[in-house]
Amino acid sequence: MPLRPLRCLAASAVLLCVPAALFAQGGAANDLLMPKPASVHFAADGLRVGPDLTIALVQTRSPRLQAATLRFLKRMEDKTGTPLPRSIGNATTGTIVLDVASDGEAVQGPDEDESYTLDVTSATVHLKAATTLGALHGMETLFQLTQPSANGYMIQAASVQDSPRFRWRGLMLDCARHFEPLDVLKRNIDAMAAVKLNVFHWHLIDDQGFRIQSHVFPKLTELGSDGKFYTQDQARELVQYARERGIRVLPEFEMPGHSAAWLVAYPELNSGTEPNGIRQEFGISDTALDPTREETYTFIGRFLAEMTAIFPDPYLHIGGDETPAPDWKTNPRIVAFMRAHNLTNNDALQAYFNTRVLAIVTKLNRKMVGWDEILHPDLPKDIVIQSWRGGESLAKGAQMGFQGVLSQPYYLDAMKPASVPYLADPVPADTKLTPQQQQLILGGEVCMWAEQVNERTIDSRVWPRTAAIAERFWSPQNVRDVVDMYHRLDATSLELETFGLKHLSSEDAGLRSLAGTQQISALRIFAQAFEPVPFYNRYLEQHTSQLTPLTNFVDAVVPDPPVKHRLALASAILTQKGDASSAASAAAELTSYFRSVGASVPQVQALFPFAPRLRPMAQRAQQLTTLSQIGVQAVQYLSSRQAAPSGWKANSLKQLETAKQPSAIVRFVFQDTLTELVQAVR
């Protein structure tokens, strides 16, 4: 596993190591495509991007395609610094030709043709697609093929034949627990389009807030929100914005559980326990809609009819998860109803509820989507099960004949490195499903639950890890090289920032706020040693609620920072005793890192008297001093192939074990890497 050639630069006292090839040519385009196409063949040379570049649309010239083409040209202009056309004429020939057969369906669905072919030579670019949707994907690949060269910017010569492996490739953003402004959603939709995702799952309702305006039932937002919600005009605007970028908007209206926001507005729908207000605590609540009242279904029918006029997608998500509903077991009227209808338990009663809601959804010409809990053999097979319980649950649904979407491995709040969800496959190579059952797996969805994110932090929790998962949904099953993925992810992350995402800039902004100064060089180095703990661990340690400030050190640092993978890669090379040159480079990188983060501690500690929000990091700072010294020593022992003094290894491992204990809601990014290094020392 040789390291890529490195060039290291000192910047603000931080050692930055990047592949040297990127300095020479800006990186070959075949190293940077994400997601990887189904088939791509590269050729020498390419097309130079200059002011004489022209573009032509043949066959389809729909407003959507023209708008997308102009956005593409503006992005290309910004990337290359070259003035490019600001309008599209009527020519049928040009430097770039978009040959698109049809604008596609009036309402995008999961079966629309997303394929495209792309042929780039030193003279022309020909992009061919059956629909505008395919052309949108092709333009993203063309954008990634554009890279700096000795003579300006070039579009890498290539022949691409591409189509997605899965037809449902989604990102769910929870806007109920913490409201996200419309501009935040738009920039995330832009990023989704860049990595070829095609479903924006909008979680609009939960115990903590009802986020979509209803004219039929106005109290839903008047009483069921904290004043933060999307107007119907804003929702339509976002649907159109997503449509222009080839993305469906799937609204989720959580029911019958997670329903405090419904019931504080219309308490007559409750099952017995009336909430005092929207719930600011997180976790599973006991409130539930009453599934035994006809008024409940009349209400749901009128509400969903209003919503389907806003959301044209052929699917509608009803939630359906986590409904303990103790009132269903104790309310005499509900107990009598269950007995009269031979419903033996809460699961049976919820299945009855789902059947009734399904009839409403079907009447509205929509297909029903719900979480695992709605899975029931009596429901028709055209519903879609979204699995938060994992691959086994997904496979069980497929074996019963149900379509499914996998989400459990892609929960971003678990704060796992991109490599973990990247290797989790909706249909793994060793699947026991038959080919027919495999066809029922529509794809996957990344999920960003919002208990501990807001508009300042959400981007860094979603990106760039979601780009890696998007490749799992799009690219062939055998695209699984983690080292290569991280190399391409760095480049993709930089491109995503151009949409206004804050995932690369939010850390510095948070650190400046914590320190109360713009002079954060040492604090920035210090922060490279830490990442957030999973949301659930934070909940247990801090007892977070909707009122918890999200402005602490844990909120500034980012999950799976690039340095984490670099350290793991260097450790693997050093401990596996690769060639001398690679081992020396790895040792130098590790030593430089541990010395840098260790040296930052005294300067950060000097900030504590003046920065109260940094003080909870006092214990972690002390630990970092010790662990960084252990890191330098471990690398020295391994590089020199000398044995450590008696007791050093046991004491070092003891220190590492202590560092695993909760403190300041963050963990060391090098915990596993340093443990591996220490274990390798004789």
Side-chain angles (χ1 to χ4, degrees):
M1 187 190 298
L3 275 174
R4 295 177 183 273
L6 298 178
R7 177 172 294 182
C8 299
L9 302 177
S12 303
V14 183
L15 193 71
L16 304 176
C17 296
V18 296
L22 295 186
F23 285 87
Q25 298 180 347
N30 56 340
D31 281 340
L32 302 179
L33 295 181
M34 179 172 270
K36 280 194 171 183
S39 173
V40 58
H41 299 282
F42 294 96
D45 204 8
L47 174 66
R48 180 179 176 275
V49 179
D52 56 343
L53 182 145
T54 58
I55 196 159
L57 307 184
V58 299
Q59 297 197 72
T60 299
R61 298 181 56 85
S62 69
R64 182 164 71 134
L65 181 59
Q66 292 191 53
T69 303
L70 291 173
R71 288 197 307 273
F72 166 75
L73 289 171
K74 181 62 171 67
R75 289 173 62 203
M76 287 283 283
E77 183 176 274
D78 291 344
K79 182 173 185 175
T80 65
T82 304
L84 295 176
R86 297 296 181 90
S87 62
I88 302 171
N90 296 317
T92 57
T93 60
T95 315
I96 300 176
V97 175
L98 304 185
D99 184 357
V100 183
S102 164
D103 194 39
E105 301 295 331
V107 176
Q108 182 179 328
D111 297 322
E112 189 164 337
D113 191 338
E114 298 183 76
S115 65
Y116 68 93
T117 62
L118 188 60
D119 289 296
V120 182
T121 69
S122 60
T124 61
V125 173
H126 189 90
L127 193 164
K128 186 174 183 179
T131 66
T132 295
L133 187 54
L136 292 171
H137 299 323
M139 281 188 272
E140 293 299 339
T141 300
L142 188 59
F143 185 81
Q144 290 185 350
L145 285 170
T146 306
Q147 295 297 329
S149 71
N151 298 313
Y153 280 80
M154 303 281 289
I155 303 176
Q156 170 78 47
S159 176
V160 179
Q161 292 183 321
D162 202 10
S163 60
R165 181 177 170 217
F166 293 106
R167 47 191 162 146
W168 191 301
R169 306 177 307 281
L171 169 63
M172 187 282 294
L173 295 184
D174 170 11
C175 298
R177 292 179 174 91
H178 279 102
F179 178 83
E180 299 296 342
L182 205 64
D183 64 320
V184 173
L185 302 186
K186 286 182 175 180
R187 70 192 186 215
N188 275 273
I189 285 173
D190 284 330
M192 289 176 65
V195 295
K196 300 181 175 67
L197 293 174
N198 68 351
V199 178
F200 173 57
H201 175 169
W202 202 358
H203 187 81
L204 285 161
I205 301 169
D206 219 293
D207 290 321
Q208 289 74 26
F210 207 102
R211 304 300 186 189
I212 181 67
Q213 180 185 44
S214 170
H215 295 308
V216 177
F217 300 108
K219 287 192 292 184
L220 288 171
T221 50
E222 290 172 3
L223 301 178
S225 79
D226 50 7
K228 296 180 179 180
F229 60 90
Y230 306 99
T231 67
Q232 293 192 4
D233 285 344
Q234 288 175 320
R236 290 188 180 93
E237 179 184 344
L238 194 72
V239 168
Q240 181 61 28
Y241 191 89
R243 159 76 179 169
E244 291 171 355
R245 288 151 181 80
I247 293 173
R248 299 163 44 209
V249 176
L250 173 70
E252 180 182 352
F253 308 113
E254 183 75 68
M255 61 179 83
H258 290 271
S259 54
W262 292 87
L263 298 176
V264 72
Y266 293 92
E268 62 270 22
L269 301 176
N270 77 72
S271 295
T273 301
E274 182 177 332
N276 297 322
I278 57 173
R279 194 167 184 258
Q280 294 175 326
E281 301 80 13
F282 298 133
I284 303 172
S285 69
D286 291 338
T287 56
L289 299 175
D290 187 343
T292 68
R293 292 181 181 271
E294 283 303 311
E295 294 87 347
T296 299
Y297 302 105
T298 300
F299 187 100
I300 291 172
R302 293 180 64 196
F303 173 76
L304 292 183
E306 183 182 20
M307 292 299 105
T308 53
I310 302 169
F311 299 101
D313 195 79
Y315 291 81
L316 187 150
H317 204 303
I318 68 158
D321 62 314
E322 298 176 330
T323 308
D327 288 334
W328 293 0
K329 299 177 182 178
T330 58
N331 185 318
R333 182 179 47 75
I334 294 177
V335 171
F337 180 92
M338 293 174 66
R339 188 179 298 115
H341 290 78
N342 296 316
L343 303 172
T344 57
N345 53 34
N346 278 15
D347 289 344
L349 182 56
Q350 186 167 351
Y352 168 84
F353 173 85
N354 292 339
T355 301
R356 294 292 304 272
V357 173
L358 174 62
I360 296 169
V361 172
T362 302
K363 186 177 180 180
L364 294 169
N365 296 312
R366 298 294 190 271
K367 295 181 180 179
M368 191 169 83
V369 186
W371 299 100
D372 280 296
E373 288 87 337
I374 76 165
L375 180 62
H376 193 279
D378 292 341
L379 290 176
K381 297 301 187 285
D382 62 350
I383 67 170
V384 175
I385 309 298
Q386 183 167 3
S387 180
W388 66 270
R389 291 175 173 166
E392 289 187 12
S393 179
L394 183 77
K396 178 183 176 183
Q399 289 164 349
M400 295 170 62
F402 290 98
Q403 294 180 318
V405 173
L406 183 63
S407 281
Q408 186 272 339
Y410 315 121
Y411 269 35
L412 297 174
D413 54 286
M415 296 297 180
K416 293 180 180 178
S419 57
V420 175
Y422 180 71
L423 294 176
D425 200 306
V427 183
D430 61 353
T431 182
K432 301 298 189 296
L433 296 177
T434 66
Q436 184 178 10
Q437 291 167 345
Q438 291 179 42
Q439 292 299 312
L440 295 174
I441 308 301
L442 301 180
E445 268 192 18
V446 184
C447 292
M448 183 72 260
W449 297 106
E451 287 91 343
Q452 296 162 24
V453 298
N454 59 19
E455 68 271 18
R456 293 185 299 274
T457 62
I458 189 170
D459 292 349
S460 69
R461 274 54 183 156
V462 175
W463 305 99
R465 290 181 297 160
T466 292
I469 305 170
E471 179 161 276
R472 174 57 48 233
F473 299 158
W474 178 280
S475 301
Q477 187 181 65
N478 62 359
V479 176
R480 297 177 63 82
D481 186 329
V482 169
V483 175
D484 179 59
M485 177 274 288
Y486 271 112
H487 169 60
R488 291 177 291 112
L489 189 62
D490 285 346
T492 300
S493 183
L494 290 173
E495 294 290 4
L496 292 175
E497 191 178 31
T498 64
F499 295 115
L501 289 175
K502 309 297 184 184
H503 65 295
L504 295 180
S505 60
S506 64
E507 181 174 80
D508 270 13
L511 295 178
R512 285 192 294 271
S513 174
L514 288 163
T517 175
Q518 295 185 41
Q519 308 307 315
I520 59 166
S521 296
L523 185 57
R524 184 185 293 120
I525 298 170
F526 179 81
Q528 288 188 17
F530 301 98
E531 64 178 340
V533 300
F535 278 18
Y536 183 68
N537 297 59
R538 181 176 184 177
Y539 174 75
L540 293 178
E541 189 174 342
Q542 197 181 16
H543 305 293
T544 53
S545 74
Q546 203 175 31
L547 301 179
T548 301
L550 300 178
T551 55
N552 293 303
F553 186 82
V554 61
D555 302 298
V557 294
V558 302
D560 196 26
V563 70
K564 183 175 183 178
H565 171 68
R566 292 295 311 173
L567 294 173
L569 181 58
S571 174
I573 293 168
L574 186 60
T575 57
Q576 292 172 16
K577 299 180 175 61
D579 66 87
S581 176
S582 294
S585 295
E589 183 166 3
L590 289 163
T591 299
S592 176
Y593 170 80
F594 284 119
R595 284 178 175 165
S596 295
V597 295
S600 73
V601 172
Q603 296 176 68
V604 172
Q605 289 173 325
L607 293 172
F608 290 168
F610 315 101
R613 284 181 288 148
L614 278 177
R615 291 175 198 161
M617 289 297 295
Q619 182 183 39
R620 286 302 197 200
Q622 293 174 352
Q623 291 172 332
L624 181 56
T625 297
T626 300
L627 296 180
S628 62
Q629 292 170 351
I630 292 172
V632 171
Q633 293 165 354
V635 174
Q636 289 175 339
Y637 295 139
L638 290 169
S639 298
S640 63
R641 301 191 178 182
Q642 293 180 353
S646 176
W648 177 89
K649 187 171 185 176
N651 181 64
S652 297
L653 291 174
K654 181 179 179 181
Q655 296 290 343
L656 281 161
E657 193 62 30
T658 300
K660 288 183 180 180
Q661 300 305 309
S663 180
I665 331 172
V666 294
R667 58 190 179 190
F668 289 101
V669 299
F670 55 75
Q671 182 84 39
D672 294 340
T673 293
L674 184 52
T675 300
E676 180 184 67
L677 290 169
V678 172
Q679 291 283 18
V681 173
R682 291 188 291 123

